[in-house]
Amino acid sequence: MFVAVGNAPSSGSTLLADLVDSLPFAVCGPETRLFAVRGYFDDFKRMKRRGFFSSRSPVVYEMRQQFLVSRLASYGFDRTGVGECLRRSGSLHEFCDLFFQRFAGFRGKRCTVFFEKTPENIHCARLFLDYFEEGFFIHVVRNPLYVYKSLLRRGFLPYIAAGTWLIDEAAVCGLSEHPRFFTIRYEELVKKPFETVVGLLRRIGMDFDPERLAELYRTNEYRRRFETRIESWSFKEFGRIGDANMTKVALEDLRALGSMMNAKVGTRYAREFSLPEVSFRDLVRANGYSFKSPDEGPSIPALGSPLSRDGASFRFLVKKSLLDLMYRDCGIRNIRNYLRPIETVSG
């Protein structure tokens, strides 16, 4: 059974990966982007012929998506080995069977569940569920204000950081009723990590003891060794679980939130990448969060709005479009569709 995990970055999915990889019947290695590249689902013959090609993506903070061959050693592979798996496969499903079974052998595990956690998977959630008819997709969501703050600490440009949660969550808008699509809230995961994972297992027809999971998690040397932690994270040491939302909300945070509550997916960007033209406010509500409307509290100055596209963000988005043009994944007339992924709700 294949399970993909996807989310906006800085939403807690690394903790979830640490936990599920600690199960004796499952593995979850470092991010590979195997389920984040649309072209791998659409054209496996091209993948066999050309290897792990790159594909364009709606992800607003990155250029293109491609399988991360730099992570192969942590899966027990080298380029020759993974190439052999490709040659022996007639479909993406067959390749995944070979790849993850060999990974399980590398780990010394007899596995029935194979997790792949890459945040960018969120933009291929529908493709994944349609392709893997017995697979499950886990969506991890976090309060967008704290995602925004975390991304700024990681060096994201304000406009890109403000649009990331909106664009990524828009990708799974309407999937909440799918029987094989599950949402886990960051706030619940960090509060009851072992119980949350066991609850998830029960939803896919399995069970496990949360206390036993806690014991296995603390002794998971594989994840301690191979999973990269981002320096700006509040809890970056393996084995230390805490709520990074427990930080002071400053005036600039409230100002950013006030701006984002008036944002939506840009009309042209939505059309270019087949995203719903949904608002930030509607996605906040759909994910079970609530914020006081800016007009219900103290006046918040509009200075420094993260929705004000700066020159650096503009250049980044131009470069993203030109790269897709170079790979013939868009036309010259499509370039302007890339330039404003988020915009203010009219009226």
Side-chain angles (χ1 to χ4, degrees), residues 60 131 291:
V60 73
Y131 186 88
F291 298 110

Side-chain angles (χ1 to χ4, degrees), residues 128-305:
F128 177 88
L129 290 168
D130 288 344
Y131 186 88
F132 293 97
E133 296 180 354
E134 297 181 354
F136 293 86
F137 194 96
I138 302 174
H139 161 230
V140 187
V141 66
R142 181 185 181 189
N143 183 316
L145 176 60
Y146 295 100
V147 171
Y148 173 73
K149 292 177 63 175
S150 178
L151 296 181
L152 289 183
R153 289 196 299 270
R154 290 171 58 174
F156 280 51
L157 297 164
Y159 181 79
I160 301 299
T164 289
W165 189 90
L166 171 59
I167 296 298
D168 288 353
E169 289 300 324
V172 293
C173 185
L175 273 176
S176 61
E177 298 302 316
H178 194 289
R180 292 181 285 112
F181 178 90
F182 305 135
T183 293
I184 292 179
R185 285 162 55 103
Y186 167 88
E187 294 77 10
E188 296 168 358
L189 179 64
V190 295
K191 184 178 180 180
K192 294 184 176 182
F194 311 111
E195 294 82 356
T196 299
V197 169
V198 169
L200 172 68
L201 290 174
R202 288 171 182 158
R203 296 182 71 181
I204 63 177
M206 309 181 78
D207 202 358
F208 202 70
D209 177 44
E211 293 185 3
R212 177 59 177 155
L213 176 58
E215 178 185 347
L216 292 170
Y217 164 72
R218 296 186 188 101
T219 58
N220 189 335
E221 293 302 319
Y222 173 84
R223 293 290 300 184
R224 187 189 304 274
R225 176 185 175 188
F226 285 107
E227 182 56 63
T228 303
R229 314 280 158 168
I230 295 175
E231 186 60 32
S232 63
W233 284 351
S234 300
F235 300 94
K236 53 182 175 290
E237 299 86 3
F238 179 87
R240 186 179 173 210
I241 301 175
D243 187 354
N245 289 3
M246 302 298 290
T247 57
K248 183 179 179 180
V249 178
L251 177 60
E252 57 266 29
D253 300 327
L254 294 175
R255 181 182 298 131
L257 176 62
S259 295
M260 290 187 289
M261 291 297 280
N262 296 314
K264 71 176 187 67
V265 179
T267 300
R268 292 185 180 277
Y269 202 83
R271 186 183 309 135
E272 181 68 27
F273 290 104
S274 301
L275 293 170
E277 199 174 329
V278 65
S279 72
F280 181 92
R281 188 182 300 272
D282 286 344
L283 287 176
V284 164
R285 291 171 178 167
N287 282 290
Y289 296 103
S290 62
F291 298 110
K292 181 179 289 187
S293 174
D295 57 9
E296 294 176 11
S299 176
I300 301 173
L303 297 175
S305 166

Side-chain angles (χ1 to χ4, degrees), residues 7 40 124 284:
N7 48 276
Y40 299 170
C124 289
V284 164

Side-chain angles (χ1 to χ4, degrees), residues 54-99:
S54 67
S55 183
R56 79 170 187 157
S57 170
V59 172
V60 73
Y61 55 90
E62 290 182 341
M63 299 292 178
R64 294 173 65 81
Q65 297 298 317
Q66 186 174 19
F67 182 78
L68 296 175
V69 294
S70 60
R71 302 291 175 86
L72 288 177
S74 61
Y75 280 80
F77 276 92
D78 56 19
R79 288 177 181 265
T80 301
V82 79
E84 178 61 25
C85 283
L86 266 181
R87 285 189 292 273
R88 292 172 55 193
S89 304
S91 67
L92 178 62
H93 201 299
E94 289 182 8
F95 172 77
C96 292
D97 280 334
L98 290 171
F99 181 81

Side-chain angles (χ1 to χ4, degrees), residues 336-347:
R336 62 178 180 173
N337 297 344
Y338 285 70
L339 303 184
R340 197 172 289 279
I342 55 173
E343 58 191 32
T344 303
V345 176
S346 60

Side-chain angles (χ1 to χ4, degrees), residues 46 50 54 64 322-330:
R46 180 186 176 194
R50 294 181 50 187
S54 67
R64 294 173 65 81
L322 292 177
L323 197 60
D324 286 351
L325 178 65
M326 184 182 74
Y327 279 94
R328 299 182 180 180
D329 280 341
C330 75

